[in-house]
Amino acid sequence: MSFATRIIPPSYCNQDSDLGSFLSDLVEEAQSNGSSHYLSISFETDYSDPLAVLEAVHTPEMPICYMEKPSNEFSIAAGDRLISRTFSGSSRFEQGRLWANSIFQKTLIAGDTRCPGSGPTLFVAATFEAERENQEQPPPLQIFLPRWQVLRSHGSNFLVFNIEISSTSSPEIVIREFNRQLDKIRGLRFNSSRATDPRSVRVGEATERYDYEAAVEKALSEINSMNLSKIVLARQLSFNTSSPLPPFSIAHGLREKFPDCHTFCISCPDHNMMVGASPETILRASGNAIETEALAGSAPRGLSAGKDAQWGKTLFGEDKAIREHNLVIQSILRRLRSIGVQKCQEGKSRLLRLANLQHVKTPLRATIERETHPFEVLSALHPTPAMGGSPREIALPLVRKLEKHPRGWYSGVTGWLDARGRGEFIVPIRCGRISPKTLTLYAGAGLVEGSVPKQEKLETDWKLQAMLEVITGRRTLPGS
């Protein structure tokens, strides 16, 4: 930290805190150094719903990021970029690590930051692909420090504001801006007219980019030739809509229906929005501990307890499901070892039962013995074998060849990282890209020896239900 030791930030802030002399010292520091830096202030506040805040204040031009897992009592949302950067290529996460460290080093932190996600927090979105094929696609890695974020965690609620302090900054103007933003969010009057029922929007019939079953046949021929052990092929279905779909109403429906998933919203560069509810966490970082998970194998839910248990038991006993899950576990362990993470504890495999599907999940936890940045772990794990395949160097080019179009944010990475190294990152799946007149839904399936094309397509139909039922009120594809 390059700040003079005489500048001691307040450890607690609320709307009544007198920040005048503190801000004056920061401006003097900027003037003496001839360079700017950042200030992050965390205010503890009363109950707040980050998704409701977004719904109330969002405009099409406002970049945002939102993640919530109701069963973990955690929700975070951020809006407006104070500073951002994009990266591409095979070293994108390493470039992002260096940039993120430089931002945190130039940021002074005031207020209570005991909760993960409080204080200065960077919001991250990475595409499935490492390179950007054209300007219509999102950047391969995008990181931004927001002007504001809202956090709710286990009964605690925080507002965080970030601002640049330069030699020309005025403490009085900074205080007025903080108070204005604080009053704006704390005093929101939620407008129900923005909460449109997505089922009131007519969704046309699906248009698919390629013949999925034919592509599965080609992929299986490569597997049978022993060129690879697993590959994941995804479908992209596009629908015309009669009017714009409401992303935050859809997110609300998803968080209610899938409390054990991470509901998310990510702004796209063209002002469109990715919305979904993902069951897959790629990384959770806290101090010197990291957690990830193997998630593979899918079965529907049963109409009775017995039928439900029968489907679940199938996942633990079917050769194809066991093979697919073990491939994911072994690939994760191998990738962690490649960055020096040797001691990884493998938890017991269990069923993750969602409203429409059940999966086998195996948690993995490791204690880091050397300084390993979360972005280094992401670089090793992404794309996960549950999203791309194994071996990676053979599976990924074949994915691109067979799918015929980049995936973008779908099956990439999104999440957040705070200044203490705490963070959580998910794989954006079970999601849709919402444009003013178009909806694109995504779903994929893992292919291994023994996969059947028709059954794999049926599995993607099950996964599409997550978005379809919330948007249309139906489980079947429009037009079917």
Side-chain angles (χ1 to χ4, degrees):
M1 187 76 67
S2 61
F3 301 103
T5 55
R6 63 182 177 83
I7 301 179
I8 301 176
S11 59
Y12 176 82
C13 295
N14 61 24
Q15 198 165 12
D16 300 321
S17 298
D18 182 3
L19 300 175
S21 60
F22 169 62
L23 288 168
S24 294
D25 287 344
L26 286 180
V27 172
E28 287 180 14
E29 177 77 4
Q31 291 171 342
S32 64
N33 287 345
S35 62
S36 62
H37 41 254
Y38 303 102
L39 170 64
S40 179
I41 302 183
S42 297
F43 298 87
E44 187 164 11
T45 184
D46 51 9
Y47 172 80
S48 178
D49 181 348
L51 181 59
V53 171
L54 279 182
E55 186 178 74
V57 306
H58 182 258
T59 62
E61 299 76 24
M62 179 188 293
I64 62 98
C65 186
Y66 154 77
M67 281 175 52
E68 176 168 4
K69 189 171 185 180
S71 63
N72 282 3
E73 297 184 68
F74 183 87
S75 179
I76 191 169
D80 286 329
R81 295 182 186 135
L82 177 60
I83 184 170
S84 66
R85 189 65 60 87
T86 62
F87 307 94
S88 63
S90 58
S91 63
R92 55 180 166 161
F93 286 104
E94 171 60 16
Q95 297 173 58
R97 178 187 70 82
L98 296 173
W99 184 79
N101 286 344
S102 72
I103 296 301
F104 287 142
Q105 287 169 4
K106 293 193 294 184
T107 303
L108 192 66
I109 303 170
D112 187 345
T113 61
R114 68 182 184 274
C115 282
S118 58
T121 301
L122 296 172
F123 291 81
V124 177
T127 59
F128 178 77
E129 299 83 13
E131 300 283 356
R132 192 177 193 176
E133 295 189 8
N134 56 65
Q135 292 304 307
E136 294 179 0
Q137 296 299 315
L141 176 61
Q142 173 181 282
I143 311 173
F144 77 95
L145 178 69
R147 294 187 183 277
W148 59 264
Q149 69 206 53
V150 188
L151 168 70
R152 187 178 74 240
S153 178
H154 298 90
S156 296
N157 297 269
F158 289 90
L159 300 177
V160 181
F161 299 109
N162 303 306
I163 192 168
E164 185 174 5
I165 303 293
S166 70
S167 59
T168 60
S169 296
S170 163
E172 293 77 15
I173 293 176
V174 171
I175 290 172
R176 282 203 300 270
E177 178 62 18
F178 276 133
N179 287 335
R180 186 186 70 81
Q181 293 277 15
L182 195 59
D183 290 340
K184 176 182 176 182
I185 294 179
R186 290 187 66 180
L188 281 174
R189 297 294 180 265
F190 298 104
N191 186 352
S192 60
S193 65
R194 288 193 169 206
T196 311
D197 186 346
R199 292 173 295 182
S200 66
V201 177
R202 187 180 62 81
V203 177
E205 295 187 14
T207 301
E208 220 165 328
R209 289 193 177 274
Y210 66 100
D211 186 330
Y212 187 74
E213 288 187 47
V216 171
E217 291 276 13
K218 293 177 182 177
L220 288 175
S221 68
E222 295 293 325
I223 291 174
N224 294 334
S225 299
M226 307 296 288
N227 290 328
L228 73 164
S229 53
K230 177 179 178 177
I231 187 171
V232 181
L233 291 185
R235 298 167 68 190
Q236 295 187 31
L237 282 71
S238 295
F239 309 80
N240 291 325
T241 58
S242 59
S243 59
L245 285 162
F248 304 122
S249 295
I250 293 171
H252 176 66
L254 290 171
R255 70 177 179 177
E256 295 300 306
K257 188 174 180 62
F258 299 100
D260 288 321
C261 291
H262 277 95
T263 301
F264 63 91
C265 297
I266 319 169
S267 293
C268 301
D270 52 8
H271 307 318
N272 297 326
M273 192 86 71
M274 288 289 289
V275 182
S278 175
E280 183 167 353
T281 300
I282 187 171
L283 175 65
R284 183 180 298 109
S286 179
N288 65 343
I290 61 168
E291 298 173 65
T292 186
E293 61 191 28
L295 189 72
S298 304
R301 298 299 305 270
L303 295 177
S304 66
K307 187 62 176 177
D308 206 41
Q310 181 182 343
W311 278 116
K313 194 171 183 179
T314 298
L315 285 176
F316 282 110
E318 184 184 54
D319 287 345
K320 184 256 183 186
I322 293 172
R323 188 180 308 114
E324 182 182 359
H325 194 71
N326 286 338
L327 282 170
V328 173
I329 293 174
Q330 294 308 312
S331 179
I332 290 173
L333 293 174
R334 188 166 57 249
R335 294 180 187 185
L336 289 175
R337 285 195 295 269
S338 73
I339 58 170
V341 180
Q342 302 291 340
K343 298 177 181 178
C344 194
Q345 297 177 337
E346 184 178 329
K348 283 188 174 294
S349 299
R350 73 283 308 268
L351 284 178
L352 173 62
R353 285 177 161 171
L354 307 177
N356 62 330
L357 283 174
Q358 45 192 328
H359 309 280
V360 178
K361 181 176 82 170
T362 301
L364 301 162
R365 180 182 175 87
T367 300
I368 305 299
E369 296 181 352
R370 64 179 181 87
E371 188 174 342
T372 303
H373 194 276
F375 285 4
E376 187 179 356
V377 181
L378 289 177
S379 181
L381 294 179
H382 173 68
T384 69
M387 291 297 109
S390 183
R392 186 191 296 190
E393 60 273 12
I394 297 176
L396 297 187
L398 185 58
V399 165
R400 181 65 185 89
K401 177 182 177 181
L402 294 177
E403 292 185 3
K404 303 182 185 303
H405 195 270
R407 293 183 182 180
W409 293 144
Y410 169 73
S411 70
V413 175
T414 192
W416 54 270
L417 177 71
D418 69 20
R420 293 189 178 186
R422 303 169 298 193
E424 189 155 23
F425 302 88
I426 64 168
V427 181
I429 55 176
R430 316 291 161 83
C431 60
R433 187 173 187 268
I434 298 174
S435 305
K437 291 287 186 178
T438 308
L439 166 69
T440 302
L441 298 182
Y442 304 82
L447 313 177
V448 295
E449 184 182 356
S451 293
V452 178
K454 194 173 292 295
Q455 181 61 37
E456 299 303 330
K457 188 172 184 178
L458 177 61
E459 180 179 321
T460 64
D461 285 341
W462 295 337
K463 293 172 180 177
L464 289 166
Q465 292 174 8
M467 292 288 288
L468 283 171
E469 193 168 2
V470 170
I471 293 172
T472 68
R474 300 173 55 195
R475 290 192 170 192
T476 54
L477 293 170
S480 61

